[in-house]
Amino acid sequence: MRKIASYIIYTILIACIACACSSDLDLKQSYEFKVTHLPVPKKLKVGETAEIRCQIEHSGYYQNTAYKLRYFQTDGEGTLRLDDGTIFLPNDYYDLDRETFRLYFTAGSEEQSNVDIYFFDSAGNTFTLNFSFNYDSKEDGSE
Protein backbone atom coordinates (compact mmCIF):
# COMPACT_ATOMS: atom_id res chain seq x y z
CA MET A 1 0.00 0.00 0.00
CA ARG A 2 2.89 2.34 0.78
CA LYS A 3 4.40 1.73 -2.66
CA ILE A 4 1.15 2.60 -4.39
CA ALA A 5 0.76 5.76 -2.30
CA SER A 6 4.34 6.85 -3.08
CA TYR A 7 3.79 6.21 -6.82
CA ILE A 8 0.63 8.29 -6.71
CA ILE A 9 2.43 11.10 -4.88
CA TYR A 10 5.34 11.01 -7.36
CA THR A 11 2.91 10.98 -10.29
CA ILE A 12 1.06 13.98 -8.89
CA LEU A 13 4.37 15.85 -8.29
CA ILE A 14 5.57 15.14 -11.83
CA ALA A 15 2.21 16.26 -13.24
CA CYS A 16 2.40 19.50 -11.20
CA ILE A 17 5.95 20.18 -12.40
CA ALA A 18 4.99 19.45 -16.01
CA CYS A 19 2.01 21.80 -15.81
CA ALA A 20 4.03 24.53 -14.11
CA CYS A 21 6.70 24.51 -16.81
CA SER A 22 5.32 26.34 -19.80
CA SER A 23 7.05 27.38 -22.98
CA ASP A 24 4.69 30.37 -23.15
CA LEU A 25 6.81 32.55 -20.87
CA ASP A 26 6.45 36.18 -21.85
CA LEU A 27 9.85 37.83 -21.45
CA LYS A 28 9.62 41.47 -22.46
CA GLN A 29 12.58 42.50 -24.58
CA SER A 30 11.14 45.60 -26.22
CA TYR A 31 10.65 48.84 -24.33
CA GLU A 32 9.69 52.23 -25.71
CA PHE A 33 12.33 54.89 -25.40
CA LYS A 34 12.86 58.58 -25.99
CA VAL A 35 15.91 60.78 -26.35
CA THR A 36 15.93 63.90 -24.21
CA HIS A 37 18.32 66.80 -24.67
CA LEU A 38 19.26 70.06 -23.07
CA PRO A 39 18.30 73.31 -24.84
CA VAL A 40 20.36 74.18 -27.92
CA PRO A 41 20.96 77.55 -29.58
CA LYS A 42 18.58 78.52 -32.36
CA LYS A 43 21.08 80.70 -34.26
CA LEU A 44 24.59 79.84 -35.45
CA LYS A 45 27.22 81.68 -37.44
CA VAL A 46 29.06 79.85 -40.22
CA GLY A 47 31.62 77.59 -38.53
CA GLU A 48 29.97 77.88 -35.12
CA THR A 49 29.15 74.65 -33.29
CA ALA A 50 26.09 73.79 -31.20
CA GLU A 51 26.44 71.15 -28.49
CA ILE A 52 23.47 68.81 -28.11
CA ARG A 53 23.64 66.86 -24.83
CA CYS A 54 21.49 63.74 -25.15
CA GLN A 55 20.20 61.01 -22.85
CA ILE A 56 18.31 57.85 -23.90
CA GLU A 57 15.47 57.21 -21.47
CA HIS A 58 13.63 53.90 -21.73
CA SER A 59 10.45 52.67 -20.07
CA GLY A 60 12.09 49.38 -19.05
CA TYR A 61 15.44 47.68 -19.19
CA TYR A 62 16.59 44.78 -21.34
CA GLN A 63 20.32 44.15 -21.15
CA ASN A 64 20.84 43.23 -24.82
CA THR A 65 19.20 46.33 -26.30
CA ALA A 66 21.44 48.11 -28.80
CA TYR A 67 20.86 51.62 -30.15
CA LYS A 68 21.73 53.17 -33.51
CA LEU A 69 21.26 56.55 -35.09
CA ARG A 70 21.19 58.12 -38.52
CA TYR A 71 20.57 61.67 -39.59
CA PHE A 72 19.29 63.66 -42.53
CA GLN A 73 19.91 67.31 -43.25
CA THR A 74 16.96 68.60 -45.24
CA ASP A 75 18.10 72.25 -45.52
CA GLY A 76 21.37 74.11 -45.26
CA GLU A 77 24.87 72.78 -44.83
CA GLY A 78 26.80 71.55 -41.85
CA THR A 79 28.34 68.56 -40.12
CA LEU A 80 27.15 66.42 -37.25
CA ARG A 81 29.61 64.54 -35.06
CA LEU A 82 29.63 62.50 -31.88
CA ASP A 83 31.63 63.47 -28.78
CA ASP A 84 34.23 60.80 -29.59
CA GLY A 85 35.06 62.60 -32.86
CA THR A 86 33.03 60.37 -35.21
CA ILE A 87 31.78 62.53 -38.09
CA PHE A 88 28.42 61.31 -39.33
CA LEU A 89 27.54 60.97 -42.98
CA PRO A 90 23.87 61.57 -43.84
CA ASN A 91 21.71 58.44 -44.20
CA ASP A 92 24.32 56.07 -42.68
CA TYR A 93 23.66 54.06 -39.52
CA TYR A 94 25.94 54.47 -36.50
CA ASP A 95 26.03 52.40 -33.31
CA LEU A 96 25.59 54.16 -29.99
CA ASP A 97 27.61 52.41 -27.29
CA ARG A 98 26.24 54.46 -24.38
CA GLU A 99 22.99 56.10 -23.32
CA THR A 100 24.44 59.52 -22.42
CA PHE A 101 26.29 61.26 -25.22
CA ARG A 102 26.88 64.60 -26.92
CA LEU A 103 26.32 65.54 -30.53
CA TYR A 104 27.91 68.57 -32.16
CA PHE A 105 26.42 70.35 -35.16
CA THR A 106 28.66 72.82 -36.99
CA ALA A 107 26.94 75.25 -39.37
CA GLY A 108 28.41 75.31 -42.87
CA SER A 109 26.34 77.99 -44.60
CA GLU A 110 24.31 81.14 -44.07
CA GLU A 111 21.12 79.24 -44.84
CA GLN A 112 18.77 77.80 -42.26
CA SER A 113 19.86 74.24 -41.38
CA ASN A 114 17.29 71.59 -40.57
CA VAL A 115 18.59 68.36 -39.09
CA ASP A 116 16.50 65.24 -38.36
CA ILE A 117 18.15 62.60 -36.17
CA TYR A 118 16.55 59.15 -36.04
CA PHE A 119 17.28 56.76 -33.18
CA PHE A 120 16.57 53.03 -33.41
CA ASP A 121 16.79 50.18 -30.93
CA SER A 122 17.36 46.51 -31.68
CA ALA A 123 13.66 45.75 -31.09
CA GLY A 124 12.52 48.05 -33.90
CA ASN A 125 11.41 51.06 -31.82
CA THR A 126 12.27 54.53 -33.15
CA PHE A 127 12.48 58.07 -31.87
CA THR A 128 13.16 61.28 -33.84
CA LEU A 129 14.73 64.61 -32.87
CA ASN A 130 14.43 67.65 -35.13
CA PHE A 131 16.66 70.71 -34.94
CA SER A 132 16.47 73.94 -36.87
CA PHE A 133 19.36 76.40 -36.82
CA ASN A 134 19.00 79.87 -38.31
CA TYR A 135 21.90 82.00 -39.50
CA ASP A 136 23.13 84.45 -36.85
CA SER A 137 23.83 87.64 -38.79
CA LYS A 138 24.90 89.69 -35.75
CA GLU A 139 28.48 90.91 -35.84
CA ASP A 140 30.75 89.92 -32.95
CA GLY A 141 30.57 92.53 -30.19
CA SER A 142 27.35 94.15 -31.43
CA GLU A 143 24.05 93.97 -29.62
Side-chain angles (χ1 to χ4, degrees), residues 66-86:
Y67 295 95
K68 292 180 179 282
L69 73 80
R70 72 191 301 192
Y71 93 99
F72 302 94
Q73 188 164 348
T74 55
D75 291 315
E77 294 179 19
T79 57
L80 185 69
R81 66 180 167 86
L82 190 59
D83 53 10
D84 67 2
T86 302

Side-chain angles (χ1 to χ4, degrees), residues 97-128:
D97 58 358
R98 58 197 178 279
E99 294 181 5
T100 300
F101 54 93
R102 295 176 187 196
L103 299 171
Y104 297 94
F105 178 78
T106 303
S109 71
E110 294 181 1
E111 300 174 26
Q112 179 182 14
S113 296
N114 292 315
V115 178
D116 300 327
I117 306 170
Y118 295 85
F119 297 89
F120 307 89
D121 71 5
S122 51
N125 298 310
T126 62
F127 187 83
T128 306

Side-chain angles (χ1 to χ4, degrees), residues 3 13 21 37-38 52 58 84 120:
K3 272 189 166 183
L13 285 174
C21 295
H37 63 86
L38 292 177
I52 307 166
H58 36 81
D84 67 2
F120 307 89

Side-chain angles (χ1 to χ4, degrees), residues 27-33 59-62 65 121-125:
L27 298 177
K28 188 163 182 167
Q29 299 177 3
S30 174
Y31 294 97
E32 291 182 6
F33 73 96
S59 61
Y61 181 75
Y62 177 64
T65 301
D121 71 5
S122 51
N125 298 310

